[in-house]
Amino acid sequence: MKLLRFGPLGNEKPGLLDADGAIRDLSGVVGDLSGAVLGDDSLAKLRGIDPATLPVVEGNPRIGACVGQVGKFICIGLNYADHAAESGMALPEEPVIFFKATSSIIGPDDDVEIPRTSVKSDWEVELGVVIGKHTKYVAVEDALDHVAGYCVVNDLSERDFQIHRSGQWVKGKSCDTFGPIGPWLVTRDDVPDPQNLSMYLEVNGHRYQDGSTKTMHFGVATVVSHLSQFMSLQPGDVISTGTPPGVGLGQTPETYLKPGDTMELGIEGLGIQKQNVVAG
């Protein structure tokens, strides 16, 4: 099942993508794709609805982030062996955890703004994991049962802020528009193996990232279990699980985003994002 949110920023409605690619309006059934709506029982009820009974959304509405009211936006760093190598960093013994501000979240096709003092704004295609129920001290073998579904995330990063300015990575990760999420939340029953998904990212038509979740250092189940040892995870929390090689920091010479650029990125079965880059 492919769920999405459509409409103006801040006034998105919940929707469902039918087999023909049409958006069906779910606002008469649920208020938003957030919180308890992402639980197993609620998703089972949505799955039981005949899409043909739902209103068709006409035209081409803006697509918003596929999850509403995100409580935590948690990221895993250096989680692909080949990306760690291009960054000149050793693979971590435990998952590297950092946060992005939820104010960075935008829709999958919204404009990305380059911060005014940025000199090294970078791209990162990542598998997003959306939590579906309260998760605390969960075992690895049970962790995926706590996942509502998966989505595409562009974990944009300002490398100068992240690496060369004092403090934590969060200041290079949390700029406004640095968290496009979507287009769809694909429920876990439609993603039989999250560790076997191809993924890519292009800038101005040039493919920089061409990888697979196969090369994750810590898989989704391990990441969810690990996080739950340190904090409870709530329905609607989003985990961005790391990026394969090909980021701008790893190019020779280093290559970064500038106003006028366009990005396209996608993950197998989870949809495609397209963003124009503008000055902030």
Side-chain angles (χ1 to χ4, degrees):
M1 185 166 56
K2 294 181 174 70
L3 302 172
L4 66 144
R5 299 168 71 246
F6 64 94
L9 179 66
N11 291 289
E12 294 91 346
K13 295 181 179 180
L16 179 152
L17 196 73
D18 70 18
D20 297 320
I23 299 173
R24 299 284 180 159
D25 190 344
L26 278 172
S27 61
V29 182
V30 294
D32 200 357
L33 298 177
S34 62
V37 172
L38 301 173
D40 288 348
D41 291 345
S42 177
L43 292 179
K45 290 178 181 178
L46 295 182
R47 199 174 294 112
I49 297 173
D50 180 357
T53 65
L54 299 170
V56 174
V57 178
E58 303 292 347
N60 295 293
R62 170 187 173 271
I63 304 301
C66 59
V67 184
Q69 303 174 49
V70 175
K72 293 193 288 295
F73 194 175
I74 310 167
C75 299
I76 307 299
L78 301 174
N79 199 28
Y80 285 69
D82 30 15
H83 172 56
E86 75 172 348
S87 300
M89 299 181 181
L91 280 170
E93 295 183 5
E94 291 190 358
V96 173
I97 303 168
F98 62 93
F99 287 81
K100 290 176 81 84
T102 55
S103 55
S104 71
I105 294 173
I106 58 171
D109 301 328
D110 291 343
D111 289 347
V112 166
E113 297 179 359
I114 300 297
R116 292 180 182 179
T117 57
S118 168
V119 292
K120 294 184 177 182
S121 287
D122 205 346
W123 56 82
E124 294 187 9
V125 59
E126 304 201 2
L127 174 65
V129 177
V130 179
I131 297 298
K133 58 185 174 182
H134 179 81
T135 304
K136 190 172 183 178
Y137 300 124
V138 69
V140 172
E141 56 268 27
D142 299 322
L144 295 187
D145 294 338
H146 291 245
V147 172
Y150 303 90
C151 61
V152 182
V153 174
N154 190 352
D155 174 23
L156 288 136
S157 313
E158 213 299 336
R159 303 299 187 188
D160 187 55
F161 298 177
Q162 176 188 358
I163 299 170
H164 301 299
R165 306 284 288 269
S166 62
Q168 299 179 339
W169 284 5
V170 65
K171 67 168 63 173
K173 295 286 189 171
S174 293
C175 306
D176 290 353
T177 76
F178 269 29
I181 297 176
W184 315 316
L185 169 61
V186 181
T187 52
R188 72 171 187 270
D189 55 305
D190 280 346
V191 185
D193 185 2
Q195 304 307 150
N196 188 25
L197 302 174
S198 60
M199 56 207 306
Y200 76 94
L201 184 144
E202 297 176 351
V203 180
N204 300 330
H206 177 80
R207 183 160 295 198
Y208 284 95
Q209 293 188 274
D210 196 355
S212 170
T213 58
K214 288 180 179 178
T215 64
M216 270 189 194
H217 183 44
F218 300 107
V220 172
T222 298
V223 166
V224 172
S225 174
H226 183 78
L227 287 171
S228 78
Q229 310 307 307
F230 303 99
M231 68 193 82
S232 62
L233 304 174
Q234 312 298 329
D237 286 350
V238 176
I239 305 167
S240 200
T241 56
T243 197
V247 299
L249 176 67
Q251 304 303 308
T252 305
E254 294 179 8
T255 303
Y256 295 108
L257 295 167
K258 61 187 184 302
D261 286 345
T262 60
M263 287 179 284
E264 179 180 305
L265 57 148
I267 299 178
E268 181 182 355
L270 304 185
I272 293 172
Q273 300 185 357
K274 295 181 180 179
Q275 294 125 17
N276 294 321
V277 180
V278 300

